[in-house]
Amino acid sequence: MISARKTYIIANWKMNFTPGEASLYLHRLSNRIPAMRNVQVVLSPSLVSLQPLSLQINRRQFKLAAQNFYWQDYGAFTGEVSISQIRSFVDYAIVGHSERRYLFNESDKDIAQKVAAAIRNGLTPVLCIGETAEERRNGETSAAIYDQLIGGLSQVSEEDISKVIIAYEPVWAISSNKNARPAKPEDIKEAQLLIRRHISKLYGDETAMDLPILYGGSVNPSTAPGYLNIPGIDGLLVGNASLIADSFCAIVESAKGKYDER
Ligand code: 13P
């Protein structure tokens, strides 16, 4: 199949790897993952590894993403790092990850400010949204997704919405959760349609169709091909499995299969 759409495979390394380990791991990946036209591989290391890895990567092969940053560009904010301080190292910024929402109490307002800061600094925000197990049980999935979209995108204009990527990560499917279970393709298909319906109300039909939507939550080499086959899913945000070269390379390989690379 030939398509103009890109598939994104984003590795969220979370709080793993020292800068030295990250550099060795990148070296290993770069020997195995080629630069591709239709598949964008993005690595998201810890903040402390961003600068060294930005000097090491071939940007045609990989891009880097920040896992977190502060939304103000500069000032008296002891201990914080702004996106304007790291913008030359990265092309993407993960915003609104459930670990930040629930472990670090980030509000929709914080998230909206971070999305706006990423866009202001010329980066692509990857806005993570997804319902908790309880919200799902209570039939509140659509409302939770809507609230997070409205909240996270509240400062994004019609002109800038094309710079945003959405990652649907149901909290109950993320491997760091005690009772995590992988989402079924039907659940993801349905959530993806919900997201596009909400986006269509906010920004119109064309934007809703064009918006890249990724899935994240317990993705591994055996589930990745099925997830990537879901119509309307433009890629994967991978946690645990991105820390193991064989697993991550196999996931990237399944994205390659989505396209004719001629
Ligand atoms: P897992 O792939 O380990 O479930 O993590 C998903 C995630 O949180 C990616 O951002």
Side-chain angles (χ1 to χ4, degrees), residues 156-205:
V156 179
S157 66
E158 289 200 9
E159 196 190 320
D160 284 339
I161 184 69
S162 62
K163 299 171 185 160
V164 175
I165 293 177
I166 301 290
Y168 171 61
E169 292 208 311
V171 181
W172 48 269
I174 295 180
S175 68
S176 53
N177 279 291
K178 236 187 11 219
N179 301 316
R181 57 185 173 86
K184 294 195 198 90
E186 307 89 83
D187 299 331
I188 301 168
K189 188 173 167 200
E190 203 176 300
Q192 171 274 135
L193 285 170
L194 268 176
I195 293 168
R196 291 194 198 280
R197 215 171 298 140
H198 291 326
I199 292 289
S200 155
K201 271 189 236 145
L202 296 169
Y203 295 97
D205 286 349

Side-chain angles (χ1 to χ4, degrees), residues 12 14 97 99 169 173-176 216-219 237-241:
N12 180 2
K14 307 192 180 181
H97 192 281
E99 285 150 21
E169 292 208 311
I174 295 180
S175 68
S176 53
S218 298
V219 172
L237 181 49
V238 189
N240 251 345

Side-chain angles (χ1 to χ4, degrees), residues 2-261:
I2 297 177
S3 163
R5 277 184 101 110
K6 251 189 196 173
T7 299
Y8 298 86
I9 304 293
I10 305 184
N12 180 2
W13 292 351
K14 307 192 180 181
M15 202 176 70
N16 294 291
F17 298 145
T18 63
E21 289 165 346
S23 168
L24 278 176
Y25 187 52
L26 169 62
H27 182 69
R28 214 172 308 144
L29 294 181
S30 59
N31 287 333
R32 296 180 58 176
I33 297 177
M36 291 166 279
R37 201 158 27 99
N38 289 321
V39 181
Q40 180 63 69
V41 180
V42 181
L43 307 175
S44 191
S46 294
L47 185 59
V48 71
S49 298
L50 283 177
Q51 184 188 26
L53 293 203
S54 76
L55 299 172
Q56 188 183 337
I57 54 162
N58 168 355
R59 285 198 178 198
R60 288 187 46 243
Q61 198 175 13
F62 302 113
K63 303 275 198 246
L64 294 179
Q67 289 178 22
N68 186 36
F69 57 89
Y70 190 55
W71 63 273
Q72 297 263 30
D73 284 341
Y74 56 87
F77 302 103
T78 301
E80 293 297 321
V81 174
S82 72
I83 198 79
S84 64
Q85 290 175 303
I86 52 175
R87 59 184 265 183
S88 60
F89 312 144
V90 299
D91 290 283
Y92 297 84
I94 297 174
V95 181
H97 192 281
S98 60
E99 285 150 21
R100 300 237 36 105
R101 288 178 193 266
Y102 302 110
L103 300 177
F104 299 98
N105 297 319
E106 273 189 23
S107 67
D108 279 326
K109 186 168 172 221
D110 299 325
I111 292 161
Q113 280 164 327
K114 290 184 178 196
V115 168
I119 293 174
R120 181 170 76 239
N121 281 281
L123 306 179
T124 301
V126 180
L127 173 62
C128 301
I129 59 171
E131 79 284 5
T132 61
E134 194 185 350
E135 285 165 339
R136 190 168 190 86
R137 259 195 316 274
N138 296 341
E140 292 164 4
T141 299
S142 176
I145 287 178
Y146 188 63
D147 288 349
Q148 290 178 5
L149 279 174
I150 290 257
L153 298 174
S154 62
Q155 297 184 31
V156 179
S157 66
E158 289 200 9
E159 196 190 320
D160 284 339
I161 184 69
S162 62
K163 299 171 185 160
V164 175
I165 293 177
I166 301 290
Y168 171 61
E169 292 208 311
V171 181
W172 48 269
I174 295 180
S175 68
S176 53
N177 279 291
K178 236 187 11 219
N179 301 316
R181 57 185 173 86
K184 294 195 198 90
E186 307 89 83
D187 299 331
I188 301 168
K189 188 173 167 200
E190 203 176 300
Q192 171 274 135
L193 285 170
L194 268 176
I195 293 168
R196 291 194 198 280
R197 215 171 298 140
H198 291 326
I199 292 289
S200 155
K201 271 189 236 145
L202 296 169
Y203 295 97
D205 286 349
E206 202 176 322
T207 305
M209 261 169 47
D210 291 347
L211 185 79
I213 300 180
L214 320 184
Y215 167 72
S218 298
V219 172
N220 62 41
S222 46
T223 54
Y227 289 152
L228 287 166
N229 261 338
I230 301 169
I233 285 296
D234 298 291
L236 302 169
L237 181 49
V238 189
N240 251 345
S242 75
L243 301 172
I244 302 157
D246 283 347
S247 304
F248 188 63
C249 292
I251 292 168
V252 171
E253 195 63 30
S254 49
K256 235 164 93 184
K258 224 178 146 164
Y259 298 105
D260 183 328
E261 281 290 323

